Amino acid sequence: MQASPHLKRLEAESIFILREVASEFENPVLLYSIGKDSSVILHLARKAFFPAKPPFPLLHIDSTWEFRDMIEFRERYARQELGLNVIAYHNEDGVRDGINPFDHGASYTDIMRTQPLKRALTHFGFDAAIGGGRRDEEKSRAKERIFSFRDRNHRWDPRNQRPELWSLYNTWKATGESIRVFPISNWTELDVWQYILQERIPIVPLYFAKERPVVRRGNDLIVVDDERMRLEQHEKPVNMKVRFRTLGCYPVTGATESEAETIEDIVHEMLTTRSSERQGRAVDREEAAAMERKKKDGYF
Amino acid sequence: MSVAQEVYSQLAVHNSKDLLRFITCGNVDDGKSTLIGRLLLEAGAIYDDQIAALQNDSNKYGTTGGRIDTALLLDGLEDERQQGITIDVAYRYFTTQRRKFILADSPGHEQFTRNMATAASNADVAIVLIDVTKGVSVQTRRHAYIATLLGVKQIVLAVNKMDLVQYQSDVFQRIVDEFRQFATALGRVDAYAIPLSALEGDNVTVLSGNMPWYQGETLLGYLDNVRIEDRLRHASLRFPIQRVSRPDANFRGFSGTICSGQLQCGDEVVVLPARSKARIKSIVTMDGELNRAETHDAITVTLDRELNLARGDMLVPGDAEPRITTEFQATVVWMSEQPLVIEKRYWLKHTTRKTPCEIKTLHHRTDVNSLARLSAPVLRLNEIGFCTLQTTEPVVCDDYQTNRTTGSFILVDRITHETVAAGLIASSAEESQPGYWSSASALTHAKRQQSLVRMEDREAQYGQKPGTILITGLSCSGKTTVALQLEKKLFEAGKIVVVLDGQWLRMGISRDLAFSAEERSENLRRGAEIAKMLNDSGQICIAAFVAPSAWVRQKTRELIGRDRFLHIHLSTHVEVCRQRDSTGQYQAADRGEIQNFPGVTYSYEAPDDADLYFDTSLQSPEAIAEEVYQRLVTKWF
C-alpha cells in the first residue's frame, strides 16, 4: 500500500518529538497503557531510534482491573518479542483495601490509576513521561500542549502553560518538576487506525470483534472478563459479537457491537461511524468538564 | 467488492489528501466560535454523541435559546466556558474529500497577541473575521499584521453577520476596499474576501441564495482549493542534528528532521559551525535504507568519515550556507508578564541548539494597531519589538521570511523557565533603520534651485574647504570640550566654523525627542542635515554626538559625503566618564530615571572605522584638538 503523505508528516512530527525527549531529559519514560495509541507510540519510538532500541523504559500503571488480554499482550509482545524494559506498577494499598470499580466509583480511578502513576513517577525519578493523548479525543485535550508542564505535585494548571511555537519545545524545568509529552497530539482516531493498517502494528485482540460474554448496563455493553465481575441478580451474560474502540478497566469500559474482525474492517467502520470513541467510557460521559478536573489532579 | 477492497479504495482517496493548517482570529462578538462550530458541524467533523452533548450544553450555557449553539463546540476549558470566552489556542481536526485540516483556534482579545502568534507560527492560512456591522476594526488590523508577521501568506477575510445588513453587496464591498488599502502596508499577502453569516449558514459550506451577487468560493470551498506552496521544499538543505545515535561501536548515525531542501546518498555536505566536510554515506530508517530524503522527513544519516558531531550542528550544502553569527537582529514577540530586560541573560533555543544570549538593543516597538514604530525602553506582555541579540555560542540561521524553521527561536527565562519570547530573525534588508533616514519627503513635486554661488568661489573667498568633524563617545567622555577647543583653534586660524552639539539640539530643534534608539537616531539625522547645509554654504561644522549606533553613524557619513567627513571617537572608559559626571546623569540612569542611557542601560556600539581615536583620560582636550587640527591641515586645507 502506498504510504499516505499526511501520515508521513504526522509520523515525522512524532519522531521529532520523541527524539527531543530522549535528548533533553535525564530520565524519560513511556507510559504504556497497552491500547492502540500506546502501540502506535511504541512503534514510532522504535522508528525514531533505529537501529538502537528506544532509550527509555515502558511504564504500565496496572489498575489490577485490566482485561486479561492486555496483560498477556504486554508480556508477549513488549517484553518478550521486542525485549524492552517494561515496568508494571500498581497500588499495593489499593489492592489490600479491596478498591474496585463497583464500590468506589469515581474515587476508584483516582486511587488505582492517578495515585500510583504519580507515585511511580516520583519513585523512579522520571522527569518526562510520554503519553498517548490526542487533541481530538476530547475538548479539554484540544488545548493541551505537546510538552505539558507539571509542577512538583504533578498537577496541570490550564492557566499556566507555556506557549508552544513552531517545533521549538521548551524543555527547561527545575528539579522535581516534570513534563508530560504527547507525541501524537495531532493525530485523529482515523489516523491512528490508518497507520496501524499501513505499518501492520500488532495490537491487543480486544479491538477485533469476537463473541464475548456481555451484560448490558444502561447504554453500555460490559464484557465479563473474569470471575471478579459483580453481576446483579437479574443479569446474565449473553454472548455477543463486540469489540472495543478504547481500552481501560474492563468493568467500566463499554464495548460496541461490531463485525470488524480485521484492521481493514475497523478502518472501514471508522470511515462510516457516527459516534466518538469516548462514548464507550462511562467515566467521561458524566459531564464534559470531568476530564479537565481529572487532568488538573494529575490524570493523564 | 470485499470490505478490504472497499477500504483500500477509500483509503486511496484518503492517502492522496494533503494537510492544511489554518487559524481563525476574531472576537467572540464577531461570531467566531459560531462560525468555526458551524464549519466543523457541516464538514461532518462532529459525531452524533458529541452533538447530543452539545445540545445538552446548549441548554445549560447556550446563548441561542435552546437552539444548537455551535460556539460551545469550541470553548474547551471549564473556566472559560463559564465566562463564555476563548482564552487559549485550541486545535481541531477535520477532513473533507480533498484535504485534512488542522485548525488552531486563537483568541481575539488584545492581551492575547501571544496566543495568536503561537497559533500562527505553524499556519498556512488565516481566517480573519470581521463583523460587517462594525467594519475593519483595530483588531482586524492587529490580526492581519500578526498573521503576516508570522509568515502566513494567505488571508481569508470572513465578513460575518451579513444577515444583519440585509445581505447588501455595497456594505461588503466597502469593508473589503478598506481592508485592501490597509493590507498593502503588510507586504506580500493574498487576501480573499467572503461575505457570510455564521448564524444562518450563508456561504460557509454552501453558496447562499441570499447573496446572488457573490459568485466566489464558500469558506470551506476556499479552504479545500487554496494552493499552498511549501517553499521549504525548494529552499537549500538545512539538516540540524537532533541526536547522535551510537548503538554499538560500528554504527554512528546522526538523527534529525530535514527543515528544508533534500538530501541524497553521495551528496557532499558542510557541517556547521565547524565547517568540516563529508559525504552522505547512507540514510537509515527502520523500513530500510533510502537513497534520498525530503523536507520534513525524520531520518538518520551516516557519513563517509569520522567526524565529531553533536546535537545542534547543522548539515548544509557547500554552495548555499546559512549565516553563522553571534549577533543578529530579530522581531521579538514578548510573551511574559515579566518585561524584557536589556542585557539580561536568557536562554535561546534555535533549531536543536541552546545558547545563553542577551538582547543588546531594543531598536523600537511596533504598535500592532497602527503599525507605527515607537520608541520603547522595554517590551511588555503582548508587545512586539525589533532587537539586536547577542549569543554566547554561534547560531546557524537564515532569515524568517526565507525559512520558518532556521529563522525562528524562543527565549526562556533562566530562573522561571518560562517561555518569555518568540523571535523571528531579520534579513539584512529588514535590519533596523531607526529614524527617518530612508523616509521620502512629503513634497510631491520637489525641485531645488541651484545656488548662484559656485563652491570653488566660496572656497576661494573663505580660504577653506568645508567639511564635518563628527566627535562621538559616551556622555562625559569630553566631546563638547574637545569640540570647543577645536573650534577655537580653527577660528584663530581664520576659518569659518560652527559647533553643533547633540545636547544643544535637544534644547531647541530636537525638543520633541526622547532617548530611544529611534529618537537618538533622529537627533543625529537632524544634526547631519544641518551640518550638510553648513558645509554646502562653505562652512566647517564640528558635531558632538553620543551616536551609539554604528548604523546611524554610517548613515551620517553617507548623508554628509565621505570626502567631507572626519570621524573622531573618544574611547574614554565608562568609569572615567562616570566619575566626571557632575550632573548626576549616570546615577539617574542607574536608578532608572533616565532610560536607554548608553553605557548603563543601552549598549554603545564602539566604532572600528573611526578616522582617529582618543582617550581624554590620557590626553588633554587641547592636545587632542591640536592633533585633529594637524589632520585637517593635511586632509582639507
Side-chain angles (χ1 to χ4, degrees), chain B residues 22 176 450 510 554 569 591 606:
Chain B
F22 71 102
V176 174
Q450 287 289 311
S510 294
Q554 175 64 24
H569 182 67
R591 291 191 301 268

Side-chain angles (χ1 to χ4, degrees), chain B residues 332 334 336-344 346 359-362 376-381 383 385-387 411 420-421:
Chain B
V332 162
W334 203 255
S336 167
E337 301 277 355
Q338 300 303 314
L340 173 156
V341 178
I342 302 285
E343 290 185 346
K344 174 176 163 173
Y346 294 101
I359 293 177
K360 283 179 66 191
T361 312
L362 170 58
V378 293
L379 279 185
R380 296 178 197 286
L381 179 62
E383 291 185 340
F386 195 80
C387 308
L411 298 182
V420 294

Side-chain angles (χ1 to χ4, degrees), chain A residues 123-230:
Chain A
H123 175 77
F124 294 102
F126 294 125
D127 56 354
I130 302 161
R134 288 179 285 109
R135 287 172 177 153
D136 88 320
E137 276 179 78
E138 194 274 332
K139 271 200 271 189
S140 91
R141 296 219 191 210
K143 311 205 167 186
E144 181 60 286
R145 303 295 192 271
I146 290 174
F147 283 67
S148 177
F149 178 79
R150 302 299 158 106
D151 67 15
R152 286 188 166 76
N153 301 314
H154 306 288
R155 284 176 62 95
W156 178 73
D157 177 2
R159 291 211 175 261
N160 186 24
Q161 291 291 305
R162 297 166 173 176
E164 211 161 62
L165 295 99
W166 303 290
S167 50
L168 290 170
Y169 302 109
N170 178 348
T171 52
W172 278 273
K173 51 159 207 61
T175 314
E177 294 168 346
S178 63
I179 294 190
R180 305 270 171 102
V181 186
F182 303 105
I184 59 167
S185 283
N186 283 325
W187 296 52
T188 63
E189 191 187 6
L190 176 58
D191 296 329
V192 166
W193 282 113
Q194 219 180 312
Y195 190 68
I196 289 171
L197 175 61
Q198 175 184 301
E199 302 284 309
R200 298 280 155 194
I201 300 171
I203 49 168
V204 183
L206 293 159
Y207 288 110
F208 302 114
K210 194 180 129 181
E211 295 275 331
R212 295 184 170 96
V214 166
V215 291
R216 188 182 291 275
R217 290 193 171 165
N219 291 322
D220 297 325
L221 297 174
I222 304 295
V223 168
V224 181
D225 197 60
D226 62 27
E227 66 294 340
R228 293 178 298 168
M229 179 75 188
R230 219 178 274 174

Side-chain angles (χ1 to χ4, degrees), chain B residues 147-281:
Chain B
T148 47
L149 178 72
L150 270 291
V152 176
K153 300 282 182 219
Q154 319 273 348
I155 288 184
V156 185
L157 201 63
V159 183
N160 192 23
K161 305 194 185 178
M162 287 300 293
D163 52 314
L164 298 183
V165 296
Q166 291 75 50
Y167 301 106
Q168 293 173 72
S169 68
D170 54 331
V171 187
F172 169 72
Q173 201 49 53
R174 217 162 33 235
I175 287 172
V176 174
D177 290 345
E178 196 186 337
F179 181 81
R180 284 199 199 284
Q181 205 166 8
F182 162 76
T184 52
L186 297 175
R188 224 207 67 166
V189 57
D190 279 342
Y192 190 89
I194 305 174
L196 48 84
S197 165
L199 196 65
E200 303 297 331
D202 299 286
N203 291 337
V204 179
T205 58
V206 184
L207 264 185
S208 166
N210 293 319
M211 291 173 274
W213 48 266
Y214 177 75
Q215 291 300 320
E217 299 266 23
T218 63
L219 183 58
L220 190 61
Y222 175 87
L223 293 172
D224 257 345
N225 297 321
V226 61
R227 250 195 76 208
I228 299 300
E229 205 186 329
D230 189 351
R231 291 177 305 151
L232 292 175
R233 288 187 190 278
H234 308 295
S236 307
L237 172 71
R238 300 289 183 256
F239 182 71
I241 294 172
Q242 199 180 1
R243 195 178 160 77
V244 178
S245 175
R246 297 211 71 167
D248 56 58
N250 302 322
F251 187 87
R252 188 193 188 99
F254 305 100
S255 303
T257 299
I258 301 179
C259 296
S260 62
Q262 50 223 269
L263 194 143
Q264 205 166 332
C265 288
D267 281 357
E268 189 177 70
V269 288
V270 178
V271 183
L272 297 179
R275 290 204 178 282
S276 30
K277 284 188 180 170
R279 280 185 192 281
I280 304 290
K281 192 170 122 198

